[in-house]
Amino acid sequence: MRHVIFGGDGFVGRHLAPKLIADGEEVVVADIVKSDLAHYRNARFVACDVTDPAAVATLGLKPDDMVYNLSAKMLSPIQVRAKRHDFFFPVNFFGTENIIKAMDHAGASRLVHFTTDMIYGHTVTTPMTEEHPVAPLGEYGLSKWKTEELAAVWRERGMSISLFRPRLIIGPGRLGILEKLFKLIDMNLPVPMIGSGRNPYQFISVFDCAEAARLGWKAGVPNEAYNLGSLNPPPVRKLLGDLVKHAGSKSILLPTPGWAVKRTLDLLDMMNMPIMDPEQYLIADEECVLDVSKGGRQLGWVPKYRDEDMLIAAYKEYRAKKEGVSASTQHAPAE
């Protein structure tokens, strides 16, 4: 058996590949870039652009391959609204379609595929189970939801496809939207919150994501969807307050009328000057907490990392990078 990881040089893939190698498995990483990662001594790399059907086909999938699709365009960097569809869909939807069609041609039938919690849109019930209504608020969430609809079609044709829906992923190597927060804290400036800050905010560790993908394979690739998020996420006010205290900053947390901030951000978005993507700010003051118990029941997956620890470790890596030294942390921010 081979484990073929599309987008395997990316954020989750670079943690999944070493896990599979440690299990004694043969790993093939398919990506458009190759980083200087130690596990490539024991893994094969194949240059592959998932938007090119010919490139995916020439990878040479085999019937017994275990396939993972981690390739994606994310919400960072922020796109102006006119460009969002053409930014997200070629990789997120059509890339996924190319992979599945290549699997079908080769007779491969097992796929672990990452989508997003952004498919849910506004919070209707809390905590959100995998049965929560689906209503994406933008092109990113929509592109991911369309891949889930695609998966449903191919499941009916005999494929086994496990879907994972992560919250904001934290881990070494990316700053993303959190860089703006860290800069405010470093400059001792007020940190505005969208709303009162009493609502919880949930992350998920990249290490926990990689382990979920591995356990999806170990469990036989169930035809199910699984939420991925931390346990017991704290209120935004506490999460940010602990970070400000850790940083020794004089920043104060500034509650705002959520509706007014959203209207302002909407206006900036319409003027092609987005500060955040609407899929981020429109739910920022809602209780967007994923119920992750299904993964525990069916896969034996339990998240290990706390939101508070992840955010502080992310800040530590940000500071280390800014100061030009190596960070001895386990986490830093992502999408």
Side-chain angles (χ1 to χ4, degrees):
M1 179 194 299
R2 298 188 309 173
H3 294 255
V4 181
I5 311 174
F6 288 93
D9 195 87
F11 196 37
V12 176
R14 63 181 52 198
H15 297 285
L16 173 60
K19 280 180 171 287
L20 297 172
I21 292 169
D23 285 336
E25 299 296 321
E26 179 183 357
V27 174
V28 177
V29 172
D31 210 323
I32 57 174
V33 295
K34 182 182 180 183
S35 303
D36 184 19
L37 300 172
H39 64 258
Y40 280 129
R41 291 193 297 267
N42 301 298
R44 177 186 167 210
F45 176 83
V46 178
C48 180
D49 181 348
V50 298
T51 66
D52 181 358
V56 178
T58 56
L59 184 66
L61 291 175
K62 301 176 182 179
D64 63 346
D65 282 343
M66 176 65 225
V67 181
Y68 306 80
N69 183 24
L70 307 176
S71 60
K73 289 287 190 180
M74 310 303 295
L75 285 172
S76 178
I78 298 172
Q79 304 295 308
V80 297
R81 62 167 56 192
K83 295 183 178 180
R84 286 172 191 154
H85 182 87
D86 290 339
F87 180 76
F88 293 118
F89 268 78
V91 172
N92 293 2
F93 177 76
F94 293 108
T96 302
E97 186 177 48
N98 291 338
I99 291 168
I100 292 177
K101 286 182 176 179
M103 290 176 61
D104 180 57
H105 183 74
S109 62
R110 295 174 299 164
L111 173 66
V112 163
H113 175 59
F114 272 61
T115 67
T116 176
D117 72 306
M118 293 290 183
I119 67 169
Y120 296 132
H122 287 296
T123 305
V124 176
T125 60
T126 187
M128 298 176 171
T129 68
E130 289 80 359
E131 286 70 45
H132 188 280
V134 171
L137 297 173
E139 295 291 338
Y140 170 65
L142 180 61
S143 69
K144 288 294 194 175
W145 171 241
K146 290 297 181 182
T147 68
E148 294 209 9
E149 292 182 328
L150 188 67
V153 171
W154 285 95
R155 282 169 171 172
E156 292 180 357
R157 300 179 184 180
M159 283 193 178
S160 296
I161 304 176
S162 292
L163 303 169
F164 290 98
R165 301 168 178 168
R167 282 290 282 157
L168 181 70
I169 306 175
I170 301 292
R174 286 191 200 173
L175 288 175
I177 191 173
L178 294 183
E179 186 171 10
K180 296 177 181 179
L181 168 65
F182 296 156
K183 286 180 177 178
L184 289 175
I185 291 173
D186 265 8
M187 297 171 68
N188 297 304
L189 294 174
V191 177
M193 299 177 293
I194 300 179
S196 66
R198 294 189 181 94
N199 59 301
Y201 197 90
Q202 186 180 36
F203 296 124
I204 179 64
S205 163
V206 68
F207 303 112
D208 285 331
C209 285
E211 181 63 6
R214 174 182 170 274
L215 291 176
W217 156 58
K218 286 285 191 180
V221 195
N223 276 326
E224 298 285 350
Y226 300 98
N227 288 333
L228 299 181
S230 63
L231 298 176
N232 305 313
V236 171
R237 184 187 294 273
K238 182 180 187 305
L239 190 64
L240 296 182
D242 287 350
L243 176 59
V244 169
K245 182 178 180 180
H246 168 83
S249 172
K250 297 180 181 178
S251 292
I252 61 170
L253 302 182
L254 188 63
T256 63
W259 65 269
V261 175
K262 293 178 187 180
R263 294 288 192 280
T264 301
L265 293 173
D266 276 339
L267 179 61
L268 290 170
D269 191 59
M270 292 177 62
M271 296 169 63
N272 287 329
M273 296 188 296
I275 297 175
M276 297 174 67
D277 190 282
E279 294 185 72
Q280 297 168 322
Y281 66 74
L282 288 175
I283 61 171
D285 59 346
E286 297 179 7
E287 295 209 12
C288 298
V289 177
L290 300 184
D291 182 333
V292 299
S293 61
K294 182 178 177 181
R297 293 192 304 271
Q298 296 188 6
L299 306 179
W301 176 83
V302 179
K304 295 181 178 180
Y305 296 90
R306 300 192 321 149
D307 298 278
E308 301 93 324
D309 298 333
M310 285 189 262
L311 188 60
I312 288 175
Y315 176 76
K316 287 181 179 178
E317 188 177 56
Y318 162 79
R319 287 295 310 174
K321 182 178 179 181
K322 186 176 180 180
E323 295 165 7
V325 298
S326 177
S328 58
T329 62
Q330 288 187 317
H331 284 280
E335 327 305 348

